[in-house]
mmCIF file of all heavy atoms in Angstrom:
data_model
loop_
_atom_site.group_PDB
_atom_site.id
_atom_site.type_symbol
_atom_site.label_atom_id
_atom_site.label_comp_id
_atom_site.label_asym_id
_atom_site.label_seq_id
_atom_site.Cartn_x
_atom_site.Cartn_y
_atom_site.Cartn_z
ATOM 1 N N PRO A 1 5.169 3.918 -9.852
ATOM 2 C CA PRO A 1 5.154 2.712 -9.163
ATOM 3 C C PRO A 1 6.488 2.106 -8.600
ATOM 4 O O PRO A 1 6.562 1.740 -7.433
ATOM 5 C CB PRO A 1 4.349 1.704 -9.963
ATOM 6 C CG PRO A 1 3.589 2.575 -10.869
ATOM 7 C CD PRO A 1 4.437 3.732 -11.163
ATOM 8 N N ALA A 2 7.375 2.224 -9.484
ATOM 9 C CA ALA A 2 8.660 1.779 -9.177
ATOM 10 C C ALA A 2 9.284 2.622 -7.948
ATOM 11 O O ALA A 2 9.976 2.097 -7.176
ATOM 12 C CB ALA A 2 9.677 1.776 -10.263
ATOM 13 N N LEU A 3 9.077 3.909 -8.097
ATOM 14 C CA LEU A 3 9.538 4.819 -6.997
ATOM 15 C C LEU A 3 8.987 4.435 -5.661
ATOM 16 O O LEU A 3 9.724 4.443 -4.553
ATOM 17 C CB LEU A 3 9.318 6.297 -7.429
ATOM 18 C CG LEU A 3 9.640 7.386 -6.360
ATOM 19 C CD1 LEU A 3 11.198 7.353 -6.230
ATOM 20 C CD2 LEU A 3 9.151 8.683 -6.724
ATOM 21 N N VAL A 4 7.654 4.210 -5.631
ATOM 22 C CA VAL A 4 7.025 3.816 -4.426
ATOM 23 C C VAL A 4 7.622 2.667 -3.887
ATOM 24 O O VAL A 4 7.809 2.442 -2.583
ATOM 25 C CB VAL A 4 5.465 3.669 -4.603
ATOM 26 C CG1 VAL A 4 4.818 3.114 -3.464
ATOM 27 C CG2 VAL A 4 4.809 4.893 -5.082
ATOM 28 N N THR A 5 7.956 1.653 -4.526
ATOM 29 C CA THR A 5 8.499 0.393 -4.194
ATOM 30 C C THR A 5 9.992 0.693 -3.692
ATOM 31 O O THR A 5 10.378 -0.014 -2.636
ATOM 32 C CB THR A 5 8.429 -0.724 -5.316
ATOM 33 O OG1 THR A 5 7.144 -0.892 -5.624
ATOM 34 C CG2 THR A 5 9.097 -2.013 -4.806
ATOM 35 N N ILE A 6 10.686 1.342 -4.378
ATOM 36 C CA ILE A 6 12.240 1.510 -4.162
ATOM 37 C C ILE A 6 12.453 2.475 -2.976
ATOM 38 O O ILE A 6 13.404 2.152 -2.160
ATOM 39 C CB ILE A 6 12.897 1.961 -5.455
ATOM 40 C CG1 ILE A 6 12.755 0.885 -6.459
ATOM 41 C CG2 ILE A 6 14.377 2.250 -5.125
ATOM 42 C CD1 ILE A 6 13.149 1.372 -7.870
ATOM 43 N N LEU A 7 11.627 3.491 -2.863
ATOM 44 C CA LEU A 7 12.083 4.667 -1.943
ATOM 45 C C LEU A 7 12.208 4.250 -0.434
ATOM 46 O O LEU A 7 11.387 3.546 0.062
ATOM 47 C CB LEU A 7 11.058 5.807 -2.033
ATOM 48 C CG LEU A 7 11.403 7.025 -1.307
ATOM 49 C CD1 LEU A 7 12.703 7.566 -1.888
ATOM 50 C CD2 LEU A 7 10.287 7.990 -1.348
ATOM 51 N N VAL A 8 13.471 4.432 0.043
ATOM 52 C CA VAL A 8 13.764 4.186 1.395
ATOM 53 C C VAL A 8 14.511 5.208 2.002
ATOM 54 O O VAL A 8 15.524 5.668 1.253
ATOM 55 C CB VAL A 8 14.445 2.753 1.658
ATOM 56 C CG1 VAL A 8 14.931 2.612 3.031
ATOM 57 C CG2 VAL A 8 13.673 1.631 1.238
ATOM 58 N N PHE A 9 14.174 5.849 3.273
ATOM 59 C CA PHE A 9 15.063 6.747 3.915
ATOM 60 C C PHE A 9 15.472 6.069 5.238
ATOM 61 O O PHE A 9 14.647 5.572 5.983
ATOM 62 C CB PHE A 9 14.249 8.032 4.184
ATOM 63 C CG PHE A 9 13.937 8.943 2.991
ATOM 64 C CD1 PHE A 9 12.812 9.856 3.034
ATOM 65 C CD2 PHE A 9 14.701 8.808 1.783
ATOM 66 C CE1 PHE A 9 12.529 10.531 1.988
ATOM 67 C CE2 PHE A 9 14.405 9.695 0.780
ATOM 68 C CZ PHE A 9 13.296 10.546 0.893
ATOM 69 N N THR A 10 16.758 6.250 5.579
ATOM 70 C CA THR A 10 17.092 5.738 6.805
ATOM 71 C C THR A 10 17.790 6.752 7.738
ATOM 72 O O THR A 10 17.957 6.748 8.923
ATOM 73 C CB THR A 10 18.309 4.676 6.608
ATOM 74 O OG1 THR A 10 19.323 5.334 5.861
ATOM 75 C CG2 THR A 10 17.786 3.514 5.899
ATOM 76 N N SER A 11 17.889 8.021 7.219
ATOM 77 C CA SER A 11 18.543 9.105 7.934
ATOM 78 C C SER A 11 17.383 10.014 8.357
ATOM 79 O O SER A 11 16.647 10.538 7.458
ATOM 80 C CB SER A 11 19.558 9.859 7.055
ATOM 81 O OG SER A 11 20.090 10.936 7.681
ATOM 82 N N GLY A 12 17.326 10.490 9.629
ATOM 83 C CA GLY A 12 16.457 11.389 10.083
ATOM 84 C C GLY A 12 15.042 10.926 10.221
ATOM 85 O O GLY A 12 14.133 11.726 10.576
ATOM 86 N N VAL A 13 14.760 9.497 10.298
ATOM 87 C CA VAL A 13 13.406 9.088 10.579
ATOM 88 C C VAL A 13 13.621 7.774 11.388
ATOM 89 O O VAL A 13 14.671 7.230 11.496
ATOM 90 C CB VAL A 13 12.706 8.566 9.215
ATOM 91 C CG1 VAL A 13 12.339 9.889 8.443
ATOM 92 C CG2 VAL A 13 13.507 7.607 8.319
ATOM 93 N N THR A 14 12.435 7.461 11.955
ATOM 94 C CA THR A 14 12.408 6.146 12.735
ATOM 95 C C THR A 14 11.895 5.104 11.969
ATOM 96 O O THR A 14 12.136 3.878 12.185
ATOM 97 C CB THR A 14 11.732 6.377 14.163
ATOM 98 O OG1 THR A 14 10.217 6.520 13.848
ATOM 99 C CG2 THR A 14 12.139 7.473 14.954
ATOM 100 N N ASP A 15 11.024 5.416 11.015
ATOM 101 C CA ASP A 15 10.444 4.340 10.107
ATOM 102 C C ASP A 15 11.050 4.576 8.723
ATOM 103 O O ASP A 15 10.659 5.548 8.018
ATOM 104 C CB ASP A 15 8.990 4.489 10.098
ATOM 105 C CG ASP A 15 8.214 3.487 9.153
ATOM 106 O OD1 ASP A 15 8.857 2.801 8.457
ATOM 107 O OD2 ASP A 15 7.022 3.447 9.007
ATOM 108 N N PRO A 16 11.958 3.776 8.303
ATOM 109 C CA PRO A 16 12.658 3.998 7.050
ATOM 110 C C PRO A 16 11.798 3.508 5.732
ATOM 111 O O PRO A 16 12.316 3.871 4.656
ATOM 112 C CB PRO A 16 13.966 3.213 7.037
ATOM 113 C CG PRO A 16 13.601 2.059 7.997
ATOM 114 C CD PRO A 16 12.497 2.630 9.054
ATOM 115 N N VAL A 17 10.750 2.947 6.034
ATOM 116 C CA VAL A 17 10.016 2.341 4.776
ATOM 117 C C VAL A 17 8.644 2.924 4.627
ATOM 118 O O VAL A 17 8.449 3.553 3.404
ATOM 119 C CB VAL A 17 9.853 0.755 5.134
ATOM 120 C CG1 VAL A 17 8.973 0.166 3.921
ATOM 121 C CG2 VAL A 17 11.197 0.192 5.189
ATOM 122 N N ASN A 18 7.726 2.969 5.532
ATOM 123 C CA ASN A 18 6.340 3.220 5.259
ATOM 124 C C ASN A 18 5.898 4.517 5.125
ATOM 125 O O ASN A 18 5.096 4.883 4.145
ATOM 126 C CB ASN A 18 5.472 2.607 6.392
ATOM 127 C CG ASN A 18 5.683 1.084 6.416
ATOM 128 O OD1 ASN A 18 5.155 0.342 5.630
ATOM 129 N ND2 ASN A 18 6.407 0.694 7.523
ATOM 130 N N VAL A 19 6.494 5.485 5.847
ATOM 131 C CA VAL A 19 6.076 6.965 5.774
ATOM 132 C C VAL A 19 6.544 7.448 4.442
ATOM 133 O O VAL A 19 5.949 8.279 3.776
ATOM 134 C CB VAL A 19 6.583 7.727 6.928
ATOM 135 C CG1 VAL A 19 5.741 7.381 8.208
ATOM 136 C CG2 VAL A 19 8.145 7.569 7.227
ATOM 137 N N ASN A 20 7.716 7.028 4.072
ATOM 138 C CA ASN A 20 8.208 7.445 2.804
ATOM 139 C C ASN A 20 7.601 7.008 1.549
ATOM 140 O O ASN A 20 7.429 7.786 0.576
ATOM 141 C CB ASN A 20 9.813 7.054 2.652
ATOM 142 C CG ASN A 20 10.545 7.044 3.919
ATOM 143 O OD1 ASN A 20 10.625 8.130 4.508
ATOM 144 N ND2 ASN A 20 11.261 6.010 4.308
ATOM 145 N N LYS A 21 7.104 5.684 1.630
ATOM 146 C CA LYS A 21 6.262 5.183 0.512
ATOM 147 C C LYS A 21 5.023 5.776 0.452
ATOM 148 O O LYS A 21 4.491 5.963 -0.667
ATOM 149 C CB LYS A 21 6.230 3.587 0.696
ATOM 150 C CG LYS A 21 7.539 2.969 0.498
ATOM 151 C CD LYS A 21 7.514 1.509 0.519
ATOM 152 C CE LYS A 21 8.813 0.859 0.526
ATOM 153 N NZ LYS A 21 9.714 1.153 -0.423
ATOM 154 N N LEU A 22 4.312 6.076 1.542
ATOM 155 C CA LEU A 22 3.111 6.836 1.547
ATOM 156 C C LEU A 22 3.190 8.217 0.989
ATOM 157 O O LEU A 22 2.470 8.620 0.125
ATOM 158 C CB LEU A 22 2.497 6.892 2.962
ATOM 159 C CG LEU A 22 1.129 7.568 3.012
ATOM 160 C CD1 LEU A 22 0.024 6.709 2.390
ATOM 161 C CD2 LEU A 22 0.740 7.865 4.623
ATOM 162 N N LEU A 23 4.221 8.900 1.325
ATOM 163 C CA LEU A 23 4.607 10.171 0.539
ATOM 164 C C LEU A 23 4.784 10.037 -0.851
ATOM 165 O O LEU A 23 4.219 10.766 -1.556
ATOM 166 C CB LEU A 23 5.783 10.884 1.355
ATOM 167 C CG LEU A 23 6.137 12.125 0.689
ATOM 168 C CD1 LEU A 23 5.218 13.223 0.878
ATOM 169 C CD2 LEU A 23 7.601 12.620 1.490
ATOM 170 N N ALA A 24 5.545 9.102 -1.187
ATOM 171 C CA ALA A 24 5.753 8.914 -2.622
ATOM 172 C C ALA A 24 4.589 8.614 -3.479
ATOM 173 O O ALA A 24 4.164 9.105 -4.607
ATOM 174 C CB ALA A 24 6.807 7.825 -2.901
ATOM 175 N N LEU A 25 3.602 7.693 -2.891
ATOM 176 C CA LEU A 25 2.424 7.238 -3.498
ATOM 177 C C LEU A 25 1.414 8.484 -3.538
ATOM 178 O O LEU A 25 0.713 8.640 -4.470
ATOM 179 C CB LEU A 25 1.729 6.203 -2.594
ATOM 180 C CG LEU A 25 0.445 5.631 -3.235
ATOM 181 C CD1 LEU A 25 0.527 5.113 -4.647
ATOM 182 C CD2 LEU A 25 -0.209 4.666 -2.185
ATOM 183 N N GLY A 26 1.352 9.353 -2.591
ATOM 184 C CA GLY A 26 0.606 10.468 -2.554
ATOM 185 C C GLY A 26 0.977 11.450 -3.685
ATOM 186 O O GLY A 26 0.003 11.914 -4.439
ATOM 187 N N ILE A 27 2.232 11.764 -4.029
ATOM 188 C CA ILE A 27 2.803 12.472 -4.962
ATOM 189 C C ILE A 27 2.485 11.895 -6.331
ATOM 190 O O ILE A 27 1.826 12.680 -7.250
ATOM 191 C CB ILE A 27 4.294 12.710 -4.862
ATOM 192 C CG1 ILE A 27 4.530 13.653 -3.536
ATOM 193 C CG2 ILE A 27 4.843 13.305 -6.088
ATOM 194 C CD1 ILE A 27 6.035 13.636 -3.158
ATOM 195 N N VAL A 28 2.754 10.697 -6.593
ATOM 196 C CA VAL A 28 2.441 10.123 -7.864
ATOM 197 C C VAL A 28 1.037 9.963 -8.149
ATOM 198 O O VAL A 28 0.543 10.297 -9.298
ATOM 199 C CB VAL A 28 3.147 8.726 -7.869
ATOM 200 C CG1 VAL A 28 2.682 7.856 -9.063
ATOM 201 C CG2 VAL A 28 4.663 8.699 -7.656
ATOM 202 N N SER A 29 0.188 9.531 -7.230
ATOM 203 C CA SER A 29 -1.285 9.360 -7.570
ATOM 204 C C SER A 29 -1.948 10.663 -7.826
ATOM 205 O O SER A 29 -2.821 10.781 -8.690
ATOM 206 C CB SER A 29 -1.951 8.610 -6.375
ATOM 207 O OG SER A 29 -1.997 9.400 -5.145
ATOM 208 N N CYS A 30 -1.584 11.798 -7.022
ATOM 209 C CA CYS A 30 -2.221 13.073 -7.389
ATOM 210 C C CYS A 30 -1.851 13.665 -8.581
ATOM 211 O O CYS A 30 -2.637 14.142 -9.298
ATOM 212 C CB CYS A 30 -1.901 13.949 -6.162
ATOM 213 S SG CYS A 30 -2.846 13.516 -4.552
ATOM 214 N N SER A 31 -0.437 13.389 -8.963
ATOM 215 C CA SER A 31 -0.071 13.809 -10.182
ATOM 216 C C SER A 31 -0.678 13.158 -11.379
ATOM 217 O O SER A 31 -1.078 13.713 -12.410
ATOM 218 C CB SER A 31 1.495 13.652 -10.291
ATOM 219 O OG SER A 31 2.175 14.466 -9.338
ATOM 220 N N ALA A 32 -0.869 11.878 -11.294
ATOM 221 C CA ALA A 32 -1.476 11.103 -12.247
ATOM 222 C C ALA A 32 -2.938 11.443 -12.476
ATOM 223 O O ALA A 32 -3.276 11.570 -13.668
ATOM 224 C CB ALA A 32 -1.329 9.486 -11.996
ATOM 225 N N ILE A 33 -3.598 11.572 -11.486
ATOM 226 C CA ILE A 33 -5.048 11.866 -11.635
ATOM 227 C C ILE A 33 -5.271 13.223 -12.186
ATOM 228 O O ILE A 33 -6.261 13.474 -12.882
ATOM 229 C CB ILE A 33 -5.893 11.677 -10.218
ATOM 230 C CG1 ILE A 33 -7.427 11.615 -10.560
ATOM 231 C CG2 ILE A 33 -5.626 12.847 -9.372
ATOM 232 C CD1 ILE A 33 -7.664 10.256 -11.064
ATOM 233 N N ALA A 34 -4.334 14.078 -11.858
ATOM 234 C CA ALA A 34 -4.562 15.552 -12.529
ATOM 235 C C ALA A 34 -4.339 15.693 -13.971
ATOM 236 O O ALA A 34 -4.703 16.687 -14.589
ATOM 237 C CB ALA A 34 -3.497 16.457 -11.795
ATOM 238 N N ILE A 35 -3.696 14.678 -14.551
ATOM 239 C CA ILE A 35 -3.526 14.576 -15.978
ATOM 240 C C ILE A 35 -4.847 14.392 -16.744
ATOM 241 O O ILE A 35 -4.967 14.894 -17.871
ATOM 242 C CB ILE A 35 -2.590 13.443 -16.406
ATOM 243 C CG1 ILE A 35 -1.194 13.727 -15.843
ATOM 244 C CG2 ILE A 35 -2.420 13.174 -17.981
ATOM 245 C CD1 ILE A 35 -0.171 12.441 -16.032
ATOM 246 N N LEU A 36 -5.858 13.814 -16.095
ATOM 247 C CA LEU A 36 -7.161 13.531 -16.672
ATOM 248 C C LEU A 36 -7.906 14.791 -16.754
ATOM 249 O O LEU A 36 -7.785 15.797 -15.986
ATOM 250 C CB LEU A 36 -7.844 12.474 -15.786
ATOM 251 C CG LEU A 36 -7.627 11.055 -16.165
ATOM 252 C CD1 LEU A 36 -6.091 10.701 -15.805
ATOM 253 C CD2 LEU A 36 -8.567 10.256 -15.292
ATOM 254 N N THR A 37 -8.716 14.934 -17.905
ATOM 255 C CA THR A 37 -9.564 16.034 -18.092
ATOM 256 C C THR A 37 -11.044 15.683 -17.909
ATOM 257 O O THR A 37 -11.353 14.430 -17.757
ATOM 258 C CB THR A 37 -9.354 16.681 -19.477
ATOM 259 O OG1 THR A 37 -9.735 15.703 -20.402
ATOM 260 C CG2 THR A 37 -7.937 17.172 -19.665
ATOM 261 N N VAL A 38 -11.920 16.604 -18.007
ATOM 262 C CA VAL A 38 -13.316 16.243 -18.094
ATOM 263 C C VAL A 38 -13.739 15.370 -19.121
ATOM 264 O O VAL A 38 -14.513 14.269 -18.841
ATOM 265 C CB VAL A 38 -14.161 17.472 -18.094
ATOM 266 C CG1 VAL A 38 -15.765 17.274 -18.300
ATOM 267 C CG2 VAL A 38 -13.976 18.458 -17.003
ATOM 268 N N LYS A 39 -13.186 15.443 -20.289
ATOM 269 C CA LYS A 39 -13.486 14.562 -21.385
ATOM 270 C C LYS A 39 -12.914 13.121 -21.058
ATOM 271 O O LYS A 39 -13.474 12.072 -21.377
ATOM 272 C CB LYS A 39 -12.866 15.035 -22.703
ATOM 273 C CG LYS A 39 -13.543 16.215 -23.311
ATOM 274 C CD LYS A 39 -13.073 16.604 -24.549
ATOM 275 C CE LYS A 39 -13.880 17.910 -25.148
ATOM 276 N NZ LYS A 39 -13.373 18.250 -26.520
ATOM 277 N N SER A 40 -11.697 13.037 -20.274
ATOM 278 C CA SER A 40 -11.263 11.862 -19.980
ATOM 279 C C SER A 40 -12.116 11.065 -19.117
ATOM 280 O O SER A 40 -12.347 9.918 -19.111
ATOM 281 C CB SER A 40 -9.829 12.075 -19.211
ATOM 282 O OG SER A 40 -8.963 12.741 -20.115
#
């Protein structure tokens, strides 16, 4: 969650905030949900 809030790119993009945070959130959320098992 901290990474999603902090991450900013200003080089090579026109939107330095939102597309980066969506990418970070996608990575974090998919990694987190994969930790769960059927028993979970």
Side-chain angles (χ1 to χ4, degrees):
L3 177 66
V4 174
T5 299
I6 294 168
L7 188 63
V8 171
F9 289 156
T10 58
S11 177
V13 293
T14 66
D15 180 356
V17 178
N18 299 285
V19 291
N20 315 315
K21 295 186 186 304
L22 182 66
L23 176 58
L25 179 60
I27 291 171
V28 171
S29 63
C30 289
S31 298
I33 200 69
I35 296 172
L36 276 62
T37 63
V38 173
K39 289 186 178 180
S40 303

